[in-house]
């Protein structure tokens, strides 16, 4: 009797669990899973989609994205999604191969953006992928995402537009503040020195000169010629601070610091958000963190 009771309880438990699992999975399917290639993009999409889609990122916070190697569990994750959103402009070197075996719809943000081209080295003539680093371009990302989500779910168009507007207002405040800072800066101080050449859109949009140690993190090696050029430029222009990015080593930039007496201004977040406890746990926080470091370092 006791045995039967235990057996029945077990069966009931399994039924309940599988029923609730099925319900969860149905709910997920109804909502639709959007898979972004990197954390920054996932956060922007989340701010437009709110509760209407489940948004996930293939790469995790803090990870180098350009040369990422997708894992088998990434493929499993991707097979549950119905849309894959990537940045494009050659940012995700792994994306083509990754999506080729999946039956997902693909949205590439760069298809609707104007590129700035890389001017030197191996990547010469290729588009610089880091458009999101400029708040002005970030607002374009929001527009593209509002448009894309509205196509996926036309009945929610007004809601996505409203979410997008609220989000863009926040970006506009960051944009205005940074414009004001650069406009008040002496013209001969308007230099941004970084490890990766990831700031072309930011520097172009706000009127700064960009100096970097290597064009794209996938290379992340500095030639002696470029090192010498950077050191002499920092000395000549009396540049107060130089910066590096969170996903690469500061080692090369510390050579510039030691040779020139410039300060190390800190790590800027570019390709990846920080984890929840870090200073760049969202796209807005990432921009604020970067622009605050730049404001503090350039004087
Ligand atoms: Zn990068």
């Amino acid at each position: 009797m006791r045995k039967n009771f235990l057996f029945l309880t077990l069966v009931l438990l399994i039924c309940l669990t599988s029923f609730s699992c099925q319900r969860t999975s149905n709910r997920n399917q109804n909502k639709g899973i959007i898979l972004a290639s990197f954390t920054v993009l996932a956060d922007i999409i989340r701010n437009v989609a709110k509760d209407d889609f489940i948004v996930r990122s293939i790469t995790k916070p803090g990870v180098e994205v350009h040369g990422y190697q997708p894992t088998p569990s990434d493929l499993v994750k991707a097979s549950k999604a119905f849309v894959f959103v990537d940045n494009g402009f050659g940012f995700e070197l792994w994306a083509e191969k990754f999506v080729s075996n999946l039956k997902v719809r693909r949205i590439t943000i760069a298809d609707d953006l104007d590129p700035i081209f890389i001017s030197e080295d191996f990547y010469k003539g290729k588009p610089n992928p880091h458009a999101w680093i400029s708040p002005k371009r970030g607002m374009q990302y929001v527009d593209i995402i509002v448009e894309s989500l509205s196509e996926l779910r036309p009945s929610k168009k007004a809601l996505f537009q409203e979410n997008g507007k609220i989000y863009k207002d926040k970006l506009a405040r960051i944009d205005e503040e940074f414009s004001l800072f650069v406009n008040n800066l002496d013209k001969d101080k308007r230099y941004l020195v970084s490890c990766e050449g990831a700031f072309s859109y930011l520097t172009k949009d706000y009127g700064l000169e960009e100096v970097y140690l290597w064009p794209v993190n996938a290379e992340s090696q500095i030639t002696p010629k470029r090192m010498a050029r950077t050191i002499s430029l920092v000395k000549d222009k009396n540049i107060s601070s130089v910066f590096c990015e969170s996903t690469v080593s500061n080692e090369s930039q510390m050579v510039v610091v030691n040779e020139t007496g410039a300060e190390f201004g800190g790590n800027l977040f570019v390709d990846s958000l920080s984890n929840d406890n870090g200073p760049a746990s969202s796209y807005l926080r990432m921009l604020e963190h970067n622009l605050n470091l730049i404001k503090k370092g350039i004087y």
Side-chain angles (χ1 to χ4, degrees):
M1 180 70 191
R2 193 179 147 78
K3 236 181 183 174
N4 278 349
F5 175 74
L6 274 173
F7 178 73
L8 276 174
T9 313
L10 193 66
V11 167
L12 189 66
L13 259 175
I14 290 168
C15 286
L16 275 173
T17 318
S18 73
F19 179 63
S20 88
C21 284
Q22 207 179 355
R23 274 188 32 178
T24 312
S25 113
N26 283 346
R27 208 163 50 223
N28 287 354
Q29 243 162 31
N30 292 339
K31 268 192 169 182
I33 297 172
I34 297 179
L35 197 62
S37 58
F38 69 123
T39 49
V40 176
L41 191 51
D43 186 56
I44 302 174
I45 299 170
R46 245 176 239 128
N47 274 280
V48 177
K50 298 283 181 192
D51 291 333
D52 265 281
F53 292 99
I54 294 168
V55 185
R56 292 180 182 147
S57 169
I58 280 286
T59 52
K60 294 189 170 55
V63 160
E64 206 292 301
V65 182
H66 293 267
Y68 180 72
Q69 302 278 344
T71 63
S73 79
D74 291 335
L75 276 168
V76 173
K77 218 197 276 184
S79 68
K80 291 176 188 154
F82 82 119
V83 184
F84 174 70
V85 189
D86 62 340
N87 183 75
F89 282 159
F91 177 52
E92 304 90 344
L93 296 170
W94 43 274
E96 294 303 326
K97 198 174 160 210
F98 183 69
V99 293
S100 65
N101 294 320
L102 295 168
K103 286 193 182 77
V104 286
R105 189 171 166 167
R106 182 176 181 183
I107 296 166
T108 302
I109 302 293
D111 288 351
D112 292 304
L113 292 175
D114 289 330
I116 292 177
F117 293 98
I118 297 169
S119 60
E120 292 172 284
D121 292 351
F122 179 72
Y123 288 89
K124 185 175 176 177
K126 298 215 160 101
N128 188 315
H130 309 93
W132 64 92
I133 295 300
S134 164
K136 286 191 200 298
R137 315 272 172 155
M139 290 190 255
Q140 294 177 8
Y141 276 62
V142 178
D143 287 337
I144 294 164
I145 290 161
V146 167
E147 190 89 359
S148 304
L149 298 193
S150 303
E151 272 172 33
L152 294 174
R153 200 161 283 175
S155 62
K156 296 293 176 97
K157 186 176 179 175
L159 188 73
F160 297 140
Q161 283 174 332
E162 179 60 18
N163 294 345
K165 192 190 166 302
I166 293 168
Y167 194 49
K168 269 171 66 178
D169 285 347
K170 293 177 187 170
L171 285 166
R173 275 201 290 278
I174 297 174
D175 163 55
E176 278 161 30
E177 229 178 90
F178 195 62
S179 294
L180 195 68
F181 162 75
V182 177
N183 293 341
N184 287 330
L185 200 62
D186 286 349
K187 284 214 164 68
D188 57 358
K189 297 281 176 204
R190 294 181 188 180
Y191 288 91
L192 178 60
V193 185
S194 59
C195 284
E196 187 188 26
F199 298 88
S200 304
Y201 294 89
L202 181 80
T203 49
K204 186 176 183 208
D205 288 349
Y206 294 87
L208 293 163
E209 289 287 328
E210 184 187 28
V211 184
Y212 51 79
L213 299 184
W214 52 78
V216 173
N217 270 347
E219 294 288 289
S220 80
Q221 279 194 359
I222 182 161
T223 59
K225 199 172 138 195
R226 189 190 293 280
M227 177 59 93
R229 209 173 70 188
T230 308
I231 288 171
S232 85
L233 187 101
V234 172
K235 277 184 180 163
D236 286 355
K237 304 289 178 189
N238 206 11
I239 292 171
S240 50
S241 303
V242 297
F243 302 86
C244 204
E245 295 80 52
S246 65
T247 50
V248 291
S249 157
N250 296 336
E251 207 180 321
S252 302
Q253 200 63 285
M254 293 320 283
V255 176
V256 178
V257 167
N258 292 333
E259 290 290 323
T260 62
E263 282 174 32
F264 181 66
N267 287 115
L268 304 170
F269 283 77
V270 174
D271 296 338
S272 213
L273 296 178
S274 67
N275 60 31
D276 285 348
N277 305 321
S281 55
S282 68
Y283 175 54
L284 291 177
R285 289 200 67 202
M286 177 184 112
L287 290 177
E288 279 165 350
H289 168 84
N290 287 353
L291 303 181
N292 283 339
L293 278 189
I294 293 169
K295 281 193 221 166
K296 223 165 81 183
I298 300 180
Y299 50 83

